[in-house]
Amino acid sequence: MKRIGVLTSGGDAPGMNAAIRAVVRCGIDNGMEVYGIRRGYEGLLDGEIEKMERSDVGDILHRGGTILQTARSERFQKKEGQKRAATVLETFGIEGLVVIGGDGSTRGGLDLSRQGIKVMCVPGTIDNDVAYSDFTIGFDTAVNTVLDAVSKIRDTSSAHERTVVIEVMGRHCGDIALYAGLAGGAECALLPEEPFDVNEICRRILEGTNRGKLHSIVINAEGSGIATDKLVKEIEAKTGRETRPVILSYLQRGGTPTMRDRLLATRTAAKAVELLRDDEDSKAIGEIGGQILAFDLEAALKVERDFDREMYDLIGVLAK
Ligand code: F6P
């Protein structure tokens, strides 16, 4: 393996730059040429490809976003797009690719591997929505950002004796809501994975109020099944307490990556380079129990991900 490429795809995540840095520097260290592909699969189709040197990835380890930019490519989702992407890579003499992205980007990696390209997928997304890794790059930073917001919102909510519904990202995976809910001491967290009862949420809020609690925090994942504004109105009507929405949105995707995200990014990306160097078949790379492991790409994508019910139940116990 002489020439490899690297791209970031889907929603950006803090730590993606740390992963790019590790691919470039570990690749060069292994005697390879490393090519950066801009704007994910979209830029690949347009041939936006440039050779990268060690110095191109200096001073980015601590930065959020991605220096390669990212995109969601509709063109690449079609078979012709995937064939064209493989042809572009062949034209540049790129034999292997590191894809840094979430579930959708990894599925794109599998499509590309079926066109004869070796693809190593590194889990970069704040969503924590892959089954083959305990955590994804960016998740830890995003949850810490949410927790920072929860603390600030708690101050003002206590002052005004309000309930606040904080909407966090997660269309299909509620891990940001789950982890922030438990670590942030919320009354409850609404997840896409689990049905909920607004009456039960209101019961918890009133229970807290009756024992002198000044504020109540509800965390609503964007894909929970109820819009935040609607939930706010229902809670206000049923509890008689002033209730406000806060939608954290893209705030969650920015910021300097935490130590955990930098290490996860660096270690999984280094593993991706090692696998390309050894001419291994396409893989999904993850961290399980602290170990960096590589799984067959197709098999990894077939495994269903489940949420941690114990953590979910604990939120209710602690809110009593
Ligand atoms: O995949 C990461 C993510 O931030 C999701 O949590 C969110 O649902 C989605 O991206 C938002 O996508 P976009 O950047 O296209 O608005």
Side-chain angles (χ1 to χ4, degrees):
M1 180 71 64
K2 288 277 181 291
R3 223 172 247 194
I4 64 170
V6 57
L7 62 81
T8 47
S9 165
D12 65 312
M16 279 184 163
N17 281 327
I20 296 167
R21 173 178 176 269
V23 171
V24 172
R25 292 194 174 168
C26 292
I28 293 170
D29 201 53
N30 278 284
M32 301 171 181
E33 288 181 355
V34 184
Y35 284 74
I37 300 160
R38 295 210 172 270
R39 298 170 43 245
Y41 294 117
E42 194 67 8
L44 171 54
L45 289 172
D46 293 335
E48 291 184 56
I49 302 175
E50 263 172 46
K51 191 161 178 240
M52 296 181 85
E53 303 297 345
R54 284 182 152 270
S55 57
D56 292 325
V57 290
D59 204 24
I60 64 166
L61 182 60
H62 58 292
R63 294 208 193 141
T66 156
I67 59 160
L68 290 176
Q69 281 80 56
T70 185
R72 301 184 198 275
S73 175
E74 278 185 28
R75 283 191 289 160
F76 182 75
Q77 278 167 28
K78 304 200 178 93
K79 212 18 152 270
E80 309 87 76
Q82 292 151 21
K83 281 190 179 143
R84 179 171 161 71
T87 307
V88 173
L89 287 170
E90 278 155 23
T91 310
F92 277 81
I94 296 171
E95 299 153 82
L97 183 67
V98 180
V99 169
I100 305 164
D103 186 62
S105 309
T106 307
R107 286 180 197 283
L110 177 62
D111 293 333
L112 198 51
S113 73
R114 289 182 174 140
Q115 300 297 326
I117 305 290
K118 302 237 169 181
V119 185
M120 301 302 164
C121 296
V122 166
T125 167
I126 64 164
D127 288 349
N128 211 33
D129 61 349
V130 306
Y132 50 87
S133 187
D134 290 342
F135 296 105
T136 56
I137 299 160
F139 173 70
D140 187 61
T141 308
V143 172
N144 279 299
T145 299
V146 174
L147 289 178
D148 182 49
V150 168
S151 300
K152 288 171 176 154
I153 291 164
R154 176 171 282 131
D155 290 345
T156 171
S157 305
S158 292
H160 287 266
E161 298 176 60
R162 280 176 181 153
T163 297
V164 176
V165 178
I166 303 175
E167 182 181 303
V168 299
M169 280 186 163
R171 280 185 201 147
H172 308 291
C173 174
D175 271 17
I176 296 181
L178 178 66
Y179 281 67
L182 185 56
E187 267 40 61
C188 52
L190 278 64
L191 319 178
E193 294 95 334
E194 184 70 4
F196 57 87
D197 176 4
V198 178
N199 291 322
E200 165 62 13
I201 300 169
C202 294
R203 194 192 58 73
R204 287 191 201 174
I205 291 170
L206 290 175
E207 211 170 70
T209 310
N210 290 340
R211 62 179 159 78
K213 210 171 167 191
L214 295 175
H215 67 271
S216 303
I217 305 278
V218 174
I219 310 266
N220 187 28
E222 62 177 333
S224 72
I226 185 163
T228 297
D229 279 347
K230 186 166 184 267
L231 182 60
V232 163
K233 283 191 188 118
E234 283 192 28
I235 292 174
E236 194 163 66
K238 288 186 172 162
T239 61
R241 281 177 67 84
E242 206 175 11
T243 307
R244 295 283 160 90
V246 175
I247 297 175
L248 294 179
S249 187
Y250 297 109
L251 191 77
Q252 294 158 92
R253 289 222 303 241
T256 188
T258 59
M259 175 273 281
R260 275 179 178 274
D261 281 333
R262 293 183 202 196
L263 291 188
L264 179 61
T266 303
R267 293 175 73 209
T268 49
K271 181 75 175 177
V273 171
E274 186 188 305
L275 294 167
L276 287 174
R277 180 201 63 197
D278 297 346
D279 215 19
E280 292 277 343
D281 285 335
S282 298
K283 296 275 185 305
I285 301 159
E287 186 194 72
I288 307 275
Q291 299 264 91
I292 303 299
L293 301 171
F295 304 93
D296 173 79
L297 190 47
E298 190 167 6
L301 284 168
K302 280 192 183 139
V303 182
E304 292 245 337
R305 206 188 160 282
D306 207 3
F307 76 103
D308 190 324
R309 185 168 293 280
E310 266 181 46
M311 279 179 61
Y312 181 78
D313 291 341
L314 200 49
I315 295 176
V317 171
L318 296 176
K320 273 184 195 159

